[in-house]
Amino acid sequence: MSLRVLHVLDHSIPLHSGYTFRTRAILREQRRLGWQTFHLTGPKHVATPPPPPEEEVDGLHFFRTPTSQAAPRLSGLDQWLLMRQIEARLEEVALQVRPHILHAHSPVLDAIPALRVGRRLGLPVVYEVRAFWEDAAVDHGSTAEGSLRYRLTKRIETHALRQASHVFTICEGLRRDIVSRGISQDRVTVIPNAVDIEAFTPGAAPDEGLKAQLGLAGATVVGFIGSFYAYEGLDLLLAALPGLLQRRPEVRVLLVGGGPQDAALKAQARSLGVQDRVVFTGRVPHAEVQRYYDLVDVLAYPRHSMRLTELVTPLKPLEAMAQGRLLVASDVGGHQELIRHGDTGWLFKADRADALTDAVDQLLARREQWPALRAAGRRFVERERNWAASVARYGPVFERICAAGVEGGR
């Protein structure tokens, strides 16, 4: 029997994010296992122009949930309506493709509709937690940790975890938190973030023309490439720059991307008087990203310490190690699961600009260690963080769930 899995997703490719790249890797590897995968995104998959009800992207067929006029943001009514939209579309798609399993991915707004549809159609539901909805809301500034909304959201999340046939998550920090909510350890499986080794090769020499065009000729470049969210700690990188310039006047910071913190970061650079030492490129086409990586001497991941970053492992450092890049990162829990200080990267005390200054300075001073650091990072992802090994962990769980369904139906 070819296993048929219907994935319920917040958003997907062609949008670019860590979420969509992880999803694409999971789908690709599940198909290599011989499974049939089907894919539904919710109303939050917003693209320009709006996507059709069904579309093909990169060889994957996606069912879309139409975006309708949102309700006023009062008492969670908009979230409730969003879940009802997902539920109606999911039942429609499930009746069409006849899956064996519903595989709901974060946020819990996808899990609740999947559980309701699963009960009606007699389908098992697995829930994959990439981050907790309540913690994401704190980072977005829409609630505060410990508020009434936070506590209610956490209760909804915990309810979904308890109702799911099995829970998957991306790292040990989240697994421990899930177990602490009363979920049995044998019902929680970690599918670690990983990389497609074949997609990454050690970095090429920098494009000197591009470097000169950006005003970086002759500079030592400390860079970040990604989305500018508050938790990424790019404000800390800018705060560390004046002290670093006192020691190494040739340093420049390269920020490639954009996001909610874009304007605040530009204002901070001006207030610190370092605006001429920081290059903001804006978002660049995906096909061009590699050229910008090749300009960077040291990649910086200065995430602030908060529940989200202490629990969740990011993809970016793994991609950096796959390319044999040098990196410095804050010592939040999510980074400590990935980076061994002095072996595969350089860690510094989170939320301390002086510690970040010291870390970059120390790494730049240890040029003789660079080849070993680069090689160790590449070995780590090759041996421990490849997608084929990660996705293989679904197999025994799905087989057990399907076998239990067959037994229960006799």
Side-chain angles (χ1 to χ4, degrees):
M1 178 184 74
S2 176
L3 187 63
R4 299 166 67 85
V5 185
L6 174 51
H7 292 264
V8 189
L9 302 156
D10 183 77
H11 61 288
S12 74
I13 54 174
L15 303 181
H16 287 166
S17 68
Y19 186 101
T20 66
F21 297 151
R22 175 181 169 91
T23 298
R24 181 173 58 185
I26 289 170
L27 300 180
R28 184 188 63 240
E29 293 299 335
Q30 287 191 351
R31 289 181 163 209
R32 285 180 181 171
L33 293 172
W35 303 353
Q36 296 181 64
T37 65
F38 307 90
H39 329 103
L40 170 69
T41 56
K44 292 199 292 179
H45 178 90
V46 179
T48 304
E54 299 181 35
E55 67 175 330
E56 199 87 11
V57 185
D58 198 14
L60 297 168
H61 188 84
F62 289 93
F63 296 90
R64 305 299 188 190
T65 303
T67 302
S68 64
Q69 183 66 37
R73 293 187 171 274
L74 298 173
S75 305
L77 182 58
D78 55 330
Q79 284 88 0
W80 180 81
L81 287 176
L82 183 144
M83 286 190 286
R84 291 302 299 268
Q85 289 177 265
I86 296 171
E87 183 180 338
R89 181 66 167 140
L90 175 58
E91 185 162 359
E92 180 182 89
V93 172
L95 289 171
Q96 178 180 336
V97 305
R98 299 290 180 181
H100 299 112
I101 292 176
L102 298 180
H103 187 161
H105 300 255
S106 292
V108 74
L109 298 173
D110 294 329
I112 296 298
L115 289 164
R116 289 173 61 87
V117 171
R119 279 195 297 271
R120 285 200 295 274
L121 302 185
L123 294 171
V125 178
V126 299
Y127 177 28
E128 181 157 322
V129 179
R130 304 185 185 190
F132 290 125
W133 188 33
E134 64 268 22
D135 294 328
V138 170
D139 180 66
H140 296 154
S142 56
T143 191
E145 190 171 334
S147 69
L148 176 61
R149 176 178 171 180
Y150 183 92
R151 297 196 304 273
L152 288 173
T153 305
K154 185 172 182 178
R155 287 181 65 181
I156 294 170
E157 187 86 61
T158 303
H159 170 76
L161 294 170
R162 289 174 176 166
Q163 294 299 311
S165 299
H166 199 85
V167 178
F168 296 102
T169 192
I170 67 172
C171 59
E172 287 298 322
L174 285 170
R175 186 195 66 81
R176 287 191 296 270
D177 193 283
I178 290 165
V179 170
S180 75
R181 300 179 187 218
I183 312 302
S184 173
Q185 291 192 44
D186 60 7
R187 289 185 53 235
V188 185
T189 300
V190 174
I191 309 292
N193 269 333
V195 293
D196 181 357
I197 295 299
E198 291 84 19
F200 294 97
T201 56
D207 180 334
E208 294 297 338
L210 177 59
K211 197 170 183 180
Q213 178 185 327
L214 295 172
L216 298 172
T220 297
V221 180
V222 179
F224 174 89
I225 300 173
S227 297
F228 299 173
Y229 292 115
Y231 61 79
E232 294 290 5
L234 299 180
D235 58 320
L236 193 76
L237 177 57
L238 295 185
L241 183 55
L244 186 59
L245 289 169
Q246 290 181 4
R247 305 181 197 182
R248 299 183 178 272
E250 75 281 6
V251 166
R252 299 293 181 270
V253 167
L254 175 65
L255 299 180
V256 181
Q261 296 297 305
D262 189 72
L265 291 169
K266 290 175 180 175
Q268 182 186 5
R270 289 192 297 270
S271 69
L272 291 170
V274 295
Q275 68 270 24
D276 59 336
R277 313 296 178 91
V278 182
V279 176
F280 291 88
T281 68
R283 298 187 188 277
V284 301
H286 186 65
E288 295 289 309
V289 168
Q290 192 61 49
R291 295 178 67 211
Y292 289 83
Y293 266 116
D294 290 338
L295 302 182
V296 178
D297 296 292
V298 176
L299 285 160
Y301 302 106
R303 288 188 157 195
H304 290 299
S305 177
M306 56 189 298
R307 264 183 57 85
L308 183 70
T309 59
E310 293 293 344
L311 294 178
V312 177
T313 54
L315 270 173
K316 291 293 184 186
L318 291 176
E319 294 175 350
M321 284 187 267
Q323 297 178 66
R325 304 286 177 183
L326 301 173
L327 59 94
V328 296
S330 60
D331 63 353
V332 295
H335 284 154
Q336 291 195 52
E337 281 194 42
L338 303 178
I339 302 163
R340 293 189 292 266
H341 177 66
D343 179 20
T344 58
W346 219 260
L347 294 173
F348 67 91
K349 187 67 178 173
D351 296 315
R352 284 185 47 186
D354 61 328
L356 175 51
T357 297
D358 289 342
V360 175
D361 184 50
Q362 289 167 17
L363 185 54
L364 292 175
R366 289 168 166 76
R367 188 172 290 270
E368 73 283 357
Q369 294 183 28
W370 289 6
L373 284 166
R374 290 178 169 133
R378 175 74 183 188
R379 280 196 305 272
F380 171 70
V381 294
E382 285 176 342
R383 296 175 183 176
E384 301 181 38
R385 291 304 180 107
N386 64 83
W387 278 120
S390 285
V391 172
R393 299 185 184 196
Y394 289 116
V397 177
F398 281 15
E399 290 171 11
R400 186 167 66 248
I401 289 172
C402 288
V406 170
E407 291 292 332
R410 287 177 179 170

